Amino acid sequence: MFSYLRERFTSHLRERSRRRARLVSKDGRCNIEFGNVEQSRFVFLIDIWTTILDLRWRYKMTIFISAFLGSWFLFGLLWYVVAYIHKDLPEFNPSINHTPCVENINGLTSAFLFSLETQVTIGYGFRCVTEQCATAIFLLIFQSILGVIINSFMCGAILAKISRSKNRAKTITFSKNAVISKRGGKLCLLIRVANLRKSLLIGSHIYGKLLKTTITPEGETIILDQVNIDFVVDAGNENLFFISPLTIYHIIDKNSPFFHMAAETLLQQDFELVVFLDGTVEATSATCQVRTSYIPEEVLWGYRFAPIVSKTKEGKYRVDFQNFSKTVAVETPHCAFCLYNEKEAKAKEKKGYDNPGFVLSEVNETSDTKM
């Protein structure tokens, strides 16, 4: 009992450590951390627009609320200072003939309310600027212009955040596992991808990167070395008609990094296959990238995907997403090298070969029959 629990606990720790080593999560987020960056963090303020867009919603809303409250309170103080300098406040006991810079400002609270009404253009009509003070008129113009700038920036940032193509990427999904089986007489690695919306991705392009640790002939260890993985779709990997789920595949030939892997040694490998799908959103014309990754435990050798598209009696095509990641075991060579040698042997059987040591000798036949 204790040995079973220990084995389960060990396998769980091994799985957790492998998950921590994943560079790209299944939903496309990158697990990377930057340390000892020499440049100052103030460089991010130079590109303030991108910095605001990359912030999470809770931080963005905090900045949004703080910007408005801060500007209202700051200009409220300025309006209070104008009223204080012009002696419009009740504590100065202004005369009946006294014309204030701003009507009905009696303290800091009323100055804050006037600032809010001015910047958001509410205009209740109870408090208003008179022509008595040029300073008040200038402050009114300045706050109105600054308020328009803050409104435009904040509203634009929120609209851009909502309409980012990253949200469109959430409706593109990849299969949970990749499979390796024969396709068209060749050993292939297959992945299924689906577009959950009826709107297309224009100019879609699919490619992959194999991340692994390699050691160069000079003895240098390269962590996260990237190797290009070419994926193919039956209709071509350019300008996909991405209206129904597609099965993309990588041919495991002599140039493939999977060529020297076998079914018995696959789980012992240390790699991460990252798959990318680039395209243009049809509705907004914004570029979109979807990515996911597969580690050796998520690559099933000797399986293929179950059928997912069928045709109804009414003539409509139906996509059953219940079978989207479902796999079926099929007969598959346990390595690409074996399949290659098997094909080569069969090809040799169909050919004839000359024996260099064979010598044809002529025999003279004599007839003993006499006429």
Side-chain angles (χ1 to χ4, degrees):
M1 180 66 181
F2 290 103
S3 61
Y4 173 76
L5 293 176
R6 185 172 60 253
E7 183 180 353
R8 293 280 295 179
F9 181 73
T10 305
S11 62
H12 177 69
L13 291 179
R14 189 183 304 113
E15 184 179 356
R16 285 193 61 187
S17 63
R18 186 174 289 274
R19 279 203 303 264
R20 291 174 185 169
R22 185 193 290 268
L23 177 65
V24 180
S25 62
K26 298 297 288 184
D27 57 356
R29 290 177 296 178
C30 295
N31 179 27
I32 191 168
E33 179 181 353
F34 297 100
N36 299 324
V37 180
E38 296 181 358
Q39 291 183 342
S40 173
R41 294 186 179 272
F42 288 102
V43 297
F44 294 99
L45 296 178
I46 299 176
D47 187 13
I48 187 64
W49 179 254
T50 305
T51 302
I52 293 295
L53 290 183
D54 289 339
L55 289 177
R56 295 185 177 182
W57 274 108
R58 54 178 175 266
Y59 301 127
K60 187 187 297 292
M61 295 307 298
T62 300
I63 295 176
F64 182 83
I65 296 173
S66 301
F68 279 105
L69 290 179
S71 62
W72 295 340
F73 184 74
L74 175 61
F75 281 99
L77 289 177
L78 295 177
W79 287 115
Y80 179 80
V81 170
V82 170
Y84 184 86
I85 294 175
H86 198 255
K87 297 183 180 181
D88 298 335
L89 301 176
E91 55 262 29
F92 293 107
N93 297 319
S95 62
I96 299 176
N97 297 327
H98 179 77
T99 303
C101 292
V102 181
E103 296 282 356
N104 299 311
I105 286 187
N106 302 320
L108 186 58
T109 302
S110 58
F112 175 79
L113 292 176
F114 178 72
S115 173
L116 189 152
E117 295 172 15
T118 301
Q119 189 163 328
V120 300
T121 65
I122 293 178
Y124 289 120
F126 183 68
R127 300 179 183 88
C128 61
V129 177
T130 64
E131 66 275 8
Q132 184 69 25
C133 300
T135 304
I137 297 175
F138 173 79
L139 185 59
L140 177 66
I141 296 173
F142 182 72
Q143 184 178 5
S144 300
I145 295 175
L146 185 61
V148 171
I149 294 175
I150 295 176
N151 288 338
S152 301
F153 186 86
M154 292 302 174
C155 293
I158 292 179
L159 180 61
K161 181 76 171 180
I162 295 175
S163 60
R164 291 186 76 178
S165 57
K166 184 183 296 185
N167 298 324
R168 178 64 175 90
K170 297 182 184 299
T171 55
I172 304 295
T173 180
F174 288 88
S175 57
K176 181 180 179 181
N177 297 305
V179 297
I180 295 179
S181 60
K182 291 177 64 176
R183 187 183 181 94
K186 301 178 181 179
L187 193 64
C188 301
L189 182 142
L190 300 97
I191 297 173
R192 179 172 277 174
V193 58
N195 179 15
L196 302 182
R197 290 185 179 272
K198 291 185 178 181
S199 60
L200 301 179
L201 284 180
I202 304 172
S204 300
H205 176 61
I206 298 177
Y207 59 98
K209 297 286 185 180
L210 187 70
L211 308 179
K212 60 180 182 178
T213 301
T214 59
I215 300 178
T216 63
E218 294 77 17
E220 179 185 2
T221 301
I222 303 177
I223 301 178
L224 298 180
D225 186 22
Q226 300 184 15
V227 179
N228 291 327
I229 302 294
D230 296 327
F231 283 97
V232 182
V233 185
D234 291 334
N237 61 345
E238 296 285 350
N239 300 324
L240 304 178
F241 184 50
F242 201 10
I243 193 64
S244 63
L246 298 175
T247 300
I248 62 175
Y249 57 94
H250 164 70
I251 301 175
I252 303 178
D253 53 12
K254 291 184 178 181
N255 297 322
S256 172
F258 295 96
F259 184 76
H260 298 286
M261 299 183 188
E264 298 81 4
T265 62
L266 180 63
L267 296 180
Q268 302 173 4
Q269 304 293 327
D270 184 16
F271 67 84
E272 180 177 353
L273 175 62
V274 185
V275 184
F276 302 87
L277 171 62
D278 296 339
T280 303
V281 182
E282 186 180 26
T284 61
S285 299
T287 57
C288 172
Q289 183 183 88
V290 193
R291 52 186 176 266
T292 189
S293 68
Y294 299 91
I295 56 178
E297 286 79 4
E298 296 170 345
V299 179
L300 306 180
W301 196 294
Y303 288 83
R304 64 173 175 83
F305 291 110
I308 190 174
V309 181
S310 61
K311 192 174 183 179
T312 63
K313 295 180 180 180
E314 294 79 11
K316 295 183 178 180
Y317 293 94
R318 184 175 183 271
V319 179
D320 186 7
F321 280 95
Q322 186 177 0
N323 295 335
F324 180 71
S325 295
K326 186 177 180 180
T327 56
V328 180
V330 292
E331 183 179 354
T332 306
H334 69 93
C335 67
F337 187 75
C338 298
L339 178 62
Y340 177 78
N341 287 343
E342 179 183 351
K343 287 185 176 182
E344 193 175 47
K346 290 182 178 179
K348 288 181 178 180
E349 289 179 359
K350 299 179 180 179
K351 297 180 179 180
Y353 295 91
D354 294 331
N355 185 358
F358 179 78
V359 178
L360 178 63
S361 59
E362 297 182 357
V363 179
N364 295 327
E365 296 181 356
T366 57
S367 177
D368 297 334
T369 305
K370 294 182 179 180
M371 297 297 295

